């Protein structure tokens, strides 16, 4: 990726405005990945939008799908930036609880109508892959309510224990009712490059393209060259990244009294025992975790741990977590 960027940026012709909607070659590369890895057929021109980060498009999709006063449904727990979109759109955010005793799945057959429904598997913060039937239920919800489904698939490739990546768009009729967000940040470690895609329903993709038309110029062409190199080149770095996260997950899991939740993402979702809080972990053990309360009402009593630190730091964290949990147990 770095070499592709370097070579492209040395071309004097690369420094003008690239097409606002992205180079055809870039969209063909992501469509090829979806075909070969996820079993999804996409039209690169009609069903792929190139966007400058998956995070920003979460808010833009809310603007594209919600009128003022509409409702946007998000899972609870949720990624903390989900409320920003409906707030900017003048919409109301409502939540559909993720049920721990049902694999952190929502009851979508009982979920209310809304302009849009956001889902996120593998889940941040819950670190689970999509439970069986959830994507089918999302399509049924959309058919019943007329709302659109947005699947935030930022962690789609970071799955453990021999699991295979799973796309919402591989579900029957998914492209008729919704889109999926793909991020280059998580799969390829390109967080600072700010490159993402919206894929699926042609009408929703076109709304995002129109948003780009009015608010942006084209993404720097050498960044797109690097994106193509990542999508079509060797995937060894992806495998190595997944293996490193899984190794760290296993280390942390080995010291906890209760098996933590971690089927994917680079986080762990850990239930804190009575008397142990994120503040106490920081103050007494110098271990920083994200308090579950930051991820919605259902996050109380939980904490999100990151696996993106070094093996050495993970080992130190494991020792301190073991001590903290043992102290509370006593």
């Amino acid at each position: 990726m770095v070499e592709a960027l370097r070579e492209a940026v040395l071309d004097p012709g690369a420094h003008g405005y690239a097409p606002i909607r992205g180079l055809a070659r870039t969209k063909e590369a992501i469509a090829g990945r979806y075909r070969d890895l996820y079993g999804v057929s996409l039209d690169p021109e009609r069903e792929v939008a190139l966007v400058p980060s998956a995070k920003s498009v979460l808010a833009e999709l809310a603007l594209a799908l919600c009128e003022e006063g509409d409702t946007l449904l998000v899972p609870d727990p949720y990624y903390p930036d989900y409320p920003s979109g409906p707030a900017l759109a003048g919409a109301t955010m409502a939540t559909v609880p993720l049920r721990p005793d049902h694999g952190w799945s929502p009851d979508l057959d009982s979920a209310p109508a809304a302009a849009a429904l956001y889902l996120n598997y593998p889940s941040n913060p819950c670190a689970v892959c999509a439970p069986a039937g959830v994507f089918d239920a999302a399509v049924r919800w959309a058919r019943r309510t007329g709302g659109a489904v947005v699947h935030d698939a930022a962690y789609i490739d970071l799955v453990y224990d021999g699991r295979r990546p799973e796309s919402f768009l591989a579900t029957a009729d998914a492209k008729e009712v919704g889109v999926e967000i793909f991020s280059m940040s998580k799969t390829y470690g390109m967080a600072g490059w700010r490159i993402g895609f919206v894929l699926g329903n042609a009408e929703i993709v076109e709304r995002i393209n129109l948003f780009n038309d009015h608010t942006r110029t084209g993404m720097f062409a050498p960044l797109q060259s690097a994106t193509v190199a990542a999508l079509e080149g060797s995937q060894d770095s992806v495998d190595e990244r997944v293996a490193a996260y899984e190794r760290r997950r296993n280390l942390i899991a080995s010291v906890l009294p209760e098996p933590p939740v971690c089927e994917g993402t680079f986080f762990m979702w850990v239930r804190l025992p009575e008397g142990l809080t994120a503040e106490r972990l920081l103050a007494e053990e110098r271990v920083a975790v994200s308090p579950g309360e930051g991820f919605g009402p259902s996050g109380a009593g939980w904490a999100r741990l990151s696996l993106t630190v070094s093996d050495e730091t993970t080992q130190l964290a494991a020792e301190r977590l073991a001590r903290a949990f043992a102290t509370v147990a006593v």
Side-chain angles (χ1 to χ4, degrees), residues 24 40 87 97-98 105 134 183 212 255 303 327:
V40 176
L98 300 182
S105 66
V134 165
S183 169
N212 283 335
V255 305
T327 301

Side-chain angles (χ1 to χ4, degrees), residues 200-282:
N201 183 270
E203 179 184 343
I204 299 174
V205 165
E206 178 59 16
R207 293 186 189 188
I208 293 300
N209 278 329
L210 284 172
F211 193 99
N212 283 335
D213 288 348
H214 289 284
T215 59
R216 300 189 175 99
T217 54
M219 183 181 292
F220 189 40
L223 288 175
Q224 297 189 59
S225 297
T227 299
V228 172
L231 292 168
E232 297 184 345
S234 169
Q235 302 299 299
D236 289 349
S237 67
V238 180
D239 296 337
E240 292 167 3
R241 186 170 290 108
V242 170
Y245 296 148
E246 187 168 3
R247 181 174 65 249
R248 295 166 192 161
R249 177 206 65 171
N250 293 344
L251 176 58
I252 296 294
S254 70
V255 305
L256 298 178
E258 178 183 335
V261 180
C262 188
E263 298 175 347
T265 75
F266 46 55
F267 301 115
M268 299 176 73
W269 190 231
V270 176
R271 190 195 307 271
L272 298 178
E274 187 70 28
L276 186 61
T277 63
E279 292 83 358
R280 183 174 171 185
L281 280 171
L282 182 61

Side-chain angles (χ1 to χ4, degrees), residues 104-144:
W104 298 92
S105 66
D107 181 6
L108 294 179
D109 289 328
S110 299
L117 164 70
Y118 280 15
L119 291 176
N120 169 216
Y121 291 106
S123 167
N124 175 12
C126 299
V128 295
C129 295
V134 165
F135 290 157
D136 291 304
V139 173
R140 290 196 302 272
W141 175 87
R143 294 293 194 199
R144 172 171 59 86

Side-chain angles (χ1 to χ4, degrees), residues 90-182:
T92 299
M93 188 186 83
T95 59
V96 53
L98 300 182
R99 303 166 295 176
D101 55 344
H102 289 76
W104 298 92
S105 66
D107 181 6
L108 294 179
D109 289 328
S110 299
L117 164 70
Y118 280 15
L119 291 176
N120 169 216
Y121 291 106
S123 167
N124 175 12
C126 299
V128 295
C129 295
V134 165
F135 290 157
D136 291 304
V139 173
R140 290 196 302 272
W141 175 87
R143 294 293 194 199
R144 172 171 59 86
T145 66
V149 177
V150 173
H151 182 232
D152 175 8
Y155 300 90
I156 186 171
D157 298 307
L158 305 184
V159 294
Y160 309 131
D161 304 313
R163 292 178 175 85
R164 297 289 301 168
E166 183 180 5
S167 169
F168 164 68
L169 298 179
T171 306
D173 299 326
K175 286 200 299 181
E176 299 299 314
V177 300
V179 291
E180 185 160 85
I181 304 171
F182 182 92

